[in-house]
C-alpha cells in the first residue's frame, strides 16, 4: 500500500501599521497608503510680507498596542526636498512655519513637527507653509480659490525596531480654500460718476443758519466699490472744497451769503472742508449715509437766482 504524504504550507502575513490622520475631524486616512488633502484659508499679511495659512486642523494617531512600553514613540519630521510647490505658486518664495518659527525653504531634514507616545494616541500635526509677497516693483502674489498649493512630505519614524512599524514617507496636499491678491485694488465712490445735489426751489427767507433750522436738506448714500482682489478694510473719505467766509463747516457757493454743509445724519456730525468721513469696505463694497444742508449767513437774505457749489470726495485706504 502506498501512502501519499502532503504538506500544508501556512503563509503568515504580518500586519504593517501606520499613522492615521484626519482633517477637521473628518475620516481617518492611512498615511502609508494614501495622501491627505487639506483645504486651507489663506491670509494676506502685508505687514509681514507673507501669505499664511489657517482655518484647518490636522490630527494623527498611532496604533500602538496597549502592551507596548510607554517609552515607544512615533515621530513626524521634515524630509529633504519635502516641499513640492504647485504650478501657480512655484515662482514665489516659500517656507514652513514649524512651531512658530518661519523657516525659508529649503528646510533641513529631520526637524520634528510632532511626536506620539503610547499614552498620547492622538496629536496635532502643525503643517503650515507660507509664501513671500514679492517686493520688486510691479510684482505681486495672486492665488485663486482651489489652487493646488503644495505637497508636503514628512518622514514617520520610531524609536524602536519592529517590522510592524517600518519608517516611511507620508504625503499631505495643501489646497487653497480662498484666493488672495496683493496687487493694488481700485476703489471708487458711486462708480466715479458726479454727485448732483439739487435743492430745488429755495425761499431765501426760509433758509436756516444751521443744519437744525434749515428746511433745505438732501440725503445721499455714498456707495463704495472696488475692482481687483477682495477688499476688507477701514476707509477714509476726504471732503475737499472751498470753505465759506461765514461758517467754518460750510463750503462756499456762488452766493456770498449762502453755503452748503456736509454732515452725517446718524450723528449730526459736521464734515467741514478738509474733514473726513470714516467707514469700512467689506468684500469690496460699502456705503455711508450723508446729508447736505443749505444754510445762510445770519441776518442776511441771499440774492435770488440759481447758485452753485462744488467739492471733491476722495476715497483713501490705509
Amino acid at each position: 500500500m502506498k501512502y501519499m504524504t502532503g504538506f500544508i504550507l501556512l503563509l503568515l502575513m504580518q500586519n504593517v501599521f501606520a499613522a492615521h490622520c484626519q482633517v477637521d475631524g473628518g475620516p481617518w486616512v492611512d498615511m502609508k497608503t494614501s495622501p491627505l488633502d487639506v483645504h486651507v484659508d489663506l491670509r494676506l499679511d502685508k505687514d509681514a510680507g507673507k501669505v499664511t495659512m489657517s482655518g484647518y486642523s490636522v490630527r494623527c494617531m498611532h496604533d500602538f498596542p496597549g502592551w507596548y512600553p510607554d517609552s515607544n514613540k512615533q515621530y513626524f519630521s521634515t524630509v529633504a526636498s519635502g516641499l513640492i510647490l504647485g504650478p501657480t505658486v512655484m515662482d514665489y518664495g516659500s517656507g514652513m512655519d514649524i512651531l512658530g518659527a518661519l523657516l525659508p525653504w529649503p528646510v533641513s531634514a529631520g526637524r520634528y513637527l510632532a511626536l506620539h507616545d503610547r499614552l498620547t494616541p492622538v496629536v496635532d500635526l502643525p503643517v503650515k507653509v507660507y509664501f513671500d509677497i514679492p517686493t520688486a516693483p510691479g510684482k505681486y502674489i495672486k492665488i485663486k480659490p482651489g489652487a493646488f498649493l503644495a505637497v508636503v512630505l514628512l518622514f514617520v519614524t520610531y524609536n524602536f525596531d519592529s517590522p510592524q512599524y517600518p519608517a516611511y514617507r507620508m504625503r499631505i496636499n495643501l489646497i487653497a480654500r480662498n484666493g488672495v491678491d496683493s496687487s493694488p485694488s481700485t476703489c471708487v465712490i458711486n462708480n466715479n460718476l458726479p454727485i448732483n445735489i439739487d435743492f430745488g426751489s429755495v425761499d431765501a427767507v426760509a433758509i436756516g443758519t444751521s443744519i437744525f433750522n434749515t428746511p433745505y436738506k438732501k440725503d445721499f448714500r455714498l456707495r463704495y466699490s472696488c475692482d481687483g482682489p477682495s477688499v476688507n478694510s477701514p476707509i477714509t473719505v476726504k471732503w475737499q472744497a472751498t470753505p465759506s467766509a461765514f461758517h467754518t463747516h460750510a463750503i462756499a457757493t456762488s452766493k456770498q451769503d449762502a453755503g452748503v454743509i456736509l454732515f452725517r445724519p446718524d450723528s449730526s456730525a459736521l464734515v467741514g472742508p478738509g474733514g473726513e468721513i470714516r467707514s469700512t469696505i467689506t468684500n469690496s463694497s460699502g456705503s455711508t449715509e450723508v446729508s447736505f444742508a443749505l444754510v445762510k449767513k445770519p441776518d442776511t437774505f441771499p440774492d435770488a437766482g440759481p447758485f452753485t457749489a462744488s467739492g471733491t470726495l476722495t476715497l483713501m485706504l490705509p
Side-chain angles (χ1 to χ4, degrees), residues 6-285:
F7 295 93
I8 299 175
L9 180 63
L10 297 178
L11 299 177
L12 301 179
M13 185 172 66
Q14 191 168 34
N15 289 328
V16 176
F17 296 103
H20 285 67
C21 299
Q22 65 175 187
V23 182
D24 300 330
W28 294 98
V29 175
D30 185 333
M31 298 308 301
K32 195 172 189 304
T33 61
S34 303
L36 190 69
D37 291 338
V38 182
H39 289 80
V40 305
D41 293 331
L42 298 178
R43 177 175 177 267
L44 190 67
D45 188 345
K46 290 188 177 181
D47 292 335
K50 301 188 184 302
V51 173
T52 58
M53 298 180 179
S54 62
Y56 61 98
S57 68
V58 176
R59 307 191 77 201
C60 297
M61 67 177 180
H62 63 65
D63 290 316
F64 294 165
W67 49 268
Y68 263 41
D70 294 348
S71 59
N72 284 9
K73 291 180 171 57
Q74 175 177 257
Y75 300 95
F76 298 88
S77 60
T78 56
V79 177
S81 302
L83 179 63
I84 305 169
L85 297 180
T88 62
V89 296
M90 62 175 49
D91 292 333
Y92 303 132
S94 61
M96 293 187 69
D97 179 349
I98 298 182
L99 303 175
L102 301 181
L103 305 177
W105 198 258
V107 176
S108 60
R111 291 184 176 271
Y112 291 115
L113 275 70
L115 66 89
H116 286 112
D117 58 32
R118 193 183 64 80
L119 299 180
T120 53
V122 179
V123 295
D124 293 319
L125 185 63
V127 183
K128 294 183 178 180
V129 173
Y130 69 83
F131 301 100
D132 294 320
I133 300 174
T135 57
K139 298 292 185 180
Y140 309 104
I141 190 167
K142 185 174 183 178
I143 302 173
K144 295 182 178 180
F148 190 90
L149 300 174
V151 174
V152 178
L153 299 176
L154 298 177
F155 203 33
V156 183
T157 57
Y158 303 90
N159 68 340
F160 58 91
D161 293 324
S162 169
Q164 291 180 298
Y165 291 91
Y168 62 94
R169 288 186 180 188
M170 59 180 278
R171 170 177 172 149
I172 296 177
N173 300 325
L174 299 177
I175 303 160
R177 185 180 287 124
N178 63 305
V180 294
D181 191 337
S182 69
S183 59
S185 296
T186 301
C187 299
V188 297
I189 302 173
N190 292 86
N191 292 322
N192 254 350
L193 298 174
I195 297 173
N196 181 38
I197 304 298
D198 186 355
F199 289 103
S201 179
V202 173
D203 181 355
V205 176
I207 302 175
T209 58
S210 74
I211 64 171
F212 301 108
N213 62 17
T214 184
Y216 300 108
K217 302 175 188 178
K218 289 289 183 179
D219 297 330
F220 193 84
R221 174 173 289 183
L222 302 177
R223 299 183 185 274
Y224 318 121
S225 59
C226 304
D227 293 329
S230 180
V231 175
N232 297 278
S233 174
I235 62 168
T236 300
V237 178
K238 185 90 168 179
W239 177 226
Q240 297 167 300
T242 302
S244 74
F246 66 87
H247 196 301
T248 56
H249 289 93
I251 67 171
T253 73
S254 56
K255 299 291 185 182
Q256 181 178 350
D257 296 328
V260 175
I261 297 177
L262 172 63
F263 68 98
R264 298 286 296 268
D266 56 349
S267 62
S268 298
L270 306 184
V271 184
E276 297 176 345
I277 299 170
R278 306 284 183 173
S279 189
T280 58
I281 289 179
T282 303
N283 293 328
S284 296
S285 66

